[in-house]
Amino acid sequence: MLWFVAVPLLLVAVAGAAAFAVRSRWSWRLLALLLAFAAAGVAWAGWRADLGLAARGVGEPGVDWPADLLITGTVVSIPERQAGRLRFDFALENARALQLPRKVRLSWYDPVEPVRAAERWQLQVRLRAPRGFANPGGFDYEGQLFREGIGAVGYVRAAPDNVRFAAARWRRPVLRLRAAIVECIADVLGDSDNRGVIAGLAVGATHEIGPQQWRVFQATGITHLIAISGLHVTLVAVLGMGLVGLAWRLPWKPAPRRCRRDMAVVVGALAATAYALLAGFSVPTQRTLIMFLAALVALWLRRAQPPRQVLALALIAVLLFDPHAALAAGFWLSFLCVAAILWTMSPHGGPQGKDTGAGAALRAFVRVQGAVTVLLLPATLALFGGVSAVAPLVNLLAIPYFSLVLVPAILLALGLMGIAPQAAAGLLKLSALSLEYFWRLLEWAADLPGAFTYFPAPGPWLLAALAASALILVTPLPWRLRALAVFALLPLLFMTPQRPPPGGVLLTVLDVGQGLSVFVRTHKHALLYDTGPAFRGGRSAADLAVVPFLRHAGIRRLNRLVVSHLDNDHAGGTGAVVNAVHVEAVSFGGEAPPHAAAHLPAQACLQGQSWTWDAVRFEFVHPAPGEGWNRNDGSCVLRIDAPGGSVLLTGDIQARAENALTARDAITPASVVVVPHHGSRTSSTRAFIEAVEARYAIVSAGYRNRWGFPDPRVVERWCRSGALMSGARMSTTAGWGAVSLFIDPQLGPQAPRAFRLEHRRYWHHAPAAAGRSPCLL
């Protein structure tokens, strides 16, 4: 338990602080005070983490609930509707008695009845522990669910027990109002592509913003404008304070004039708080609300507070409210952006100037925008793996448009919904129309060459150097010193991906769920074998795992893409890969290449085709010309021979193809093998296993997949094969996440490395002990 680690640390720090505070110099007292505060922060975060882990309701990490469960609870989120599927958060009643998590995330495919926010339901479900892909450069889905308090994920079963109960209308009024606003926007805008953006700007409901729209926002560097932030909350508060001012202009004064400021402060605070709750109370909204309330309190008390102190107060308050807010990218971007603005506008940030007018305002805006872009460069690189080159110019237009046109119109429409629905509908349509024209400019900027450039993952020292250089560049120092800071940015231009030496092979079997994708790297070349599955709803494992991995590794060009066969779990992500990186050539199994790669140079893989990269030989050993195979048995089987060892990639071949390979002696011993067909019992015959004599066997399979891959009998056959009897073990992506293995030209194959083991966080479930056999990790 983290709490038991934090308590001793807290006691030691407090005791030390007390000892230093009795008789010591002020510097020692300050150090002791800082230690005490740091220990208190660790203790608080540890305690909250302990509460979060206990709230998941899982007795042991990774334990699921195999049987159908009948649960009762309330829908506590706005349901997301995508491609025949509803997804929503569900708060359970009597979760402790049932030994279940308090809140779960459910998917309901083809629901027979509509599901609305704040409704009470009885549902028959299947649940499992939260588990996402685990790959270098990938998104931490388990961390997001932990931060949101989601203890399990699952789906609703089609059953007569699924019943909607009558719920009190007064329950969860804010959620009901948010959902009603989203439905109203959907009714008014219909099938408009921008209705998701309008709903996101109105109440923070961004679930209808599509992947292509997020790509445009990221490429143009305006993602921060989509979040409910200081702009929205400030506009609402100023509107409330303005209404107070108008009230004093009426013939009938509501109170003496001396009370006008106090009344404006109260109304502004109430308006800001109400809108922050309506917007979902995200981290940027929390930061803005706390800063605004602190400023209003200072105004109430007639005491000015330095903005940096207000920002520090907001930072402390957000972390006290939710220590795990620091896991979100929005936390860092929100606070760093405001800190950059305050630094730029302070005397330390450069000459302020005393001239006024439109020209001075424009120069100040450009200076602040440029400084913020430079200061946020290290954070953007660390969080998103790349930098938008067009962001400064796009923001010069986007910030005024969003601040002065789009957001005020949407907020005004919200205010008119209950008073003048027709006027509100007209404003929403005008907002969508203006956004449609502005969107064309954004798409044009996003499609410019080099609009957003990805870089290999930088190390901590390089990030620290970049941060120091960015700070020096925006500080009014002598130009010679600022010019020297530019040289610290030069390593960014020469960052190269990790490469094995000539003759070496770096193999990574990616965690793509129930599917396959293997990345092979030689000294100067890169190959991708299969692209993982596509999912219902339009996205694929390539979007979520393969492409982020390639960008994290700094791969912008694939010398060859091999699609072993056209089953969805092997070829579903081809389109995403082809759109993300340059592919020079495609090899495919079957009669035709994947549709997404039809425009590329493509060739069917056949036995005997071979090539050599960097002293490493690649050869297809299956299928042989003229043989008729079904889709699985016709998979491309690729053998990789390096000076230090060999690899065999087998696709989905089954017993028939394996027998044909062994009959014609096409299989020779290999150091590493990716087990055929995810460890299905229809593959991995004894003759095939004995011919391969693998030292390491890797299974790519989904966590708790419905087929039970890898089959226990297959596991036992591999474990009892000759090479594996020497003490080596099988590994599976379901338990390990991405599995990486390096074949050294002199030392041979090194032990596999598991991403899930090496990068485990306390909110991650323990690696699945798929250990029906002791050799399967």
Side-chain angles (χ1 to χ4, degrees), residues 381 456-466 495:
L381 182 62
W461 291 108
L462 179 56
L463 280 178
L466 291 176
M495 292 174 62

Side-chain angles (χ1 to χ4, degrees), residues 80-164:
E80 303 176 15
R81 297 171 174 84
Q82 292 181 349
R85 182 191 72 166
L86 280 179
R87 190 175 71 170
F88 53 89
D89 295 344
F90 198 69
L92 277 64
E93 300 174 4
N94 300 324
R96 184 182 297 273
L98 298 173
Q99 294 185 344
L100 294 174
R102 299 171 186 172
K103 187 165 67 171
V104 299
R105 179 159 295 170
L106 298 175
S107 295
W108 194 345
Y109 295 94
D110 301 320
V112 294
E113 297 184 58
V115 179
R116 296 182 177 85
E119 288 184 339
R120 187 167 174 265
W121 280 81
Q122 175 184 275
L123 299 172
Q124 185 173 338
V125 302
R126 284 191 177 177
L127 299 177
R128 62 177 177 86
R131 199 172 187 87
F133 299 143
N135 298 289
F139 177 67
D140 188 359
Y141 181 61
E142 293 177 49
Q144 180 192 34
L145 293 181
F146 178 73
R147 188 174 65 250
E148 296 176 3
I150 305 296
V153 296
Y155 62 94
V156 179
R157 300 271 290 171
D161 293 329
N162 297 332
V163 180
R164 179 194 290 112

Side-chain angles (χ1 to χ4, degrees), residues 237-270:
V238 169
L239 178 61
M241 298 174 71
L243 292 177
V244 174
L246 290 177
W248 258 266
R249 296 181 181 273
L250 298 175
W252 173 79
K253 302 293 188 297
R257 179 174 294 274
R258 65 178 181 273
C259 300
R260 182 173 62 179
R261 174 184 292 183
D262 296 339
M263 185 66 69
V265 168
V266 172
V267 173
L270 291 176

Side-chain angles (χ1 to χ4, degrees), residues 156-230:
V156 179
R157 300 271 290 171
D161 293 329
N162 297 332
V163 180
R164 179 194 290 112
F165 295 139
R169 301 293 298 177
W170 53 267
R171 298 186 64 180
R172 303 185 184 274
V174 175
L175 178 60
R176 290 180 182 272
L177 180 58
R178 294 184 69 218
I181 291 174
V182 172
E183 290 183 3
C184 179
I185 292 174
D187 292 339
V188 171
L189 300 183
D191 296 330
S192 172
D193 293 336
N194 293 317
R195 84 177 189 187
V197 179
I198 299 295
L201 292 171
V203 293
T206 59
H207 57 270
E208 290 190 358
I209 299 179
Q212 178 62 19
Q213 291 175 310
W214 284 120
R215 184 195 70 82
V216 172
F217 291 142
Q218 183 186 48
T220 54
I222 63 169
T223 305
H224 62 96
L225 295 176
I226 308 304
I228 299 291
S229 59

